[in-house]
Amino acid sequence: MKAKGTLREYKIVGRRLPSEQKPITPLYQMRIFAPNVVAAKSKFWYYASLLKKVKKANGEIVSCSEVLEKKPTRIKNFGIWVRYDSRSGTHNMYREYRSLSVAEAVTLCYRDMAARHRARANSVQIMRVEEVAASKCRRDHVKQFHDSSIRFPLPHRVVKSQFKSKIVAKRPNTFF
């Protein structure tokens, strides 16, 4: 899978096709992050064949629906458990991100893994994603934004006006 654009979260339910030996087959539900429905279904069959030995040829997808964020305007902390294949072996990781939605946080994770570890999207597996309370956060780059009195000052501002003269007798004041 190519992780191009922002990823979306899909809930896919599938099963093995019923046969005469086994008329009732169990349903398998997965939470898949992919750029579109086609890639999400493909990823579902990839994991179903690995974990439950169900191929696309002898299985069916019962439902495929996109999961939307309940509160897309509230910033949240997300913990993501990742497994990825590097050049030397397979590694497990826990990462934290601040984002507006789960899908956005997972997209950030894919970008971060590519930048820091040169991990391609097909070698990264998202094991678990959870919203983490501010008191339970572990990473400093996330905890630094939990201060309620946080400020983002703009110390060096240059006022540009097309009506002001460029040649004046005194230096400009850039600290307000």
Side-chain angles (χ1 to χ4, degrees):
M1 177 198 80
K2 285 195 174 178
K4 57 183 179 184
T6 49
L7 299 178
R8 297 167 177 210
E9 182 182 356
Y10 294 96
K11 186 177 97 175
I12 300 181
V13 181
R15 67 175 183 164
R16 184 186 297 274
L17 285 171
S19 62
E20 290 181 12
Q21 292 93 355
K22 214 171 185 188
I24 299 168
T25 55
L27 294 171
Y28 303 115
Q29 176 181 311
M30 285 189 204
R31 187 181 182 192
I32 303 284
F33 297 94
N36 52 40
V37 180
V38 177
K41 286 179 181 177
S42 174
K43 215 170 186 188
F44 171 81
W45 287 121
Y46 171 76
Y47 288 122
S49 65
L50 278 178
L51 301 169
K52 298 295 177 184
K53 304 288 186 259
V54 179
K55 293 194 304 184
K56 186 179 179 183
N58 56 22
E60 67 177 347
I61 288 181
V62 177
S63 77
C64 176
S65 58
E66 186 176 346
V67 179
L68 300 173
E69 191 68 32
K70 287 190 176 83
K71 295 184 179 177
T73 55
R74 201 188 89 209
I75 192 89
K76 296 168 274 297
N77 307 309
F78 291 103
I80 301 178
W81 284 261
V82 178
R83 182 164 103 194
Y84 80 101
D85 296 321
S86 72
R87 294 177 186 129
S88 59
T90 306
H91 311 283
N92 294 320
M93 238 182 230
Y94 169 76
R95 308 185 72 82
E96 283 181 356
Y97 298 96
R98 263 177 85 76
S99 186
L100 294 170
S101 69
V102 180
E104 198 176 301
V106 171
T107 305
L108 279 172
C109 183
Y110 272 103
R111 303 285 181 269
D112 204 27
M113 292 298 292
R116 293 179 194 272
H117 302 283
R118 301 293 184 266
R120 308 295 182 264
N122 58 0
S123 67
V124 175
Q125 295 180 9
I126 305 295
M127 306 300 281
R128 196 167 97 197
V129 181
E130 281 184 7
E131 189 175 331
V132 181
S135 60
K136 302 272 187 209
C137 282
R138 303 183 212 169
R139 305 291 183 253
D140 288 334
H141 71 274
V142 173
K143 288 201 294 193
Q144 70 182 353
F145 292 106
H146 292 163
D147 185 12
S148 59
S149 62
I150 192 167
R151 294 174 67 229
F152 300 98
L154 302 170
H156 185 73
R157 287 181 287 174
V158 178
V159 180
K160 293 189 177 182
S161 173
Q162 63 185 23
F163 304 111
K164 278 190 165 183
S165 175
K166 306 283 187 276
I167 304 160
V168 288
K170 66 176 195 151
R171 286 173 174 266
N173 183 18
T174 60
F175 297 99
F176 301 104

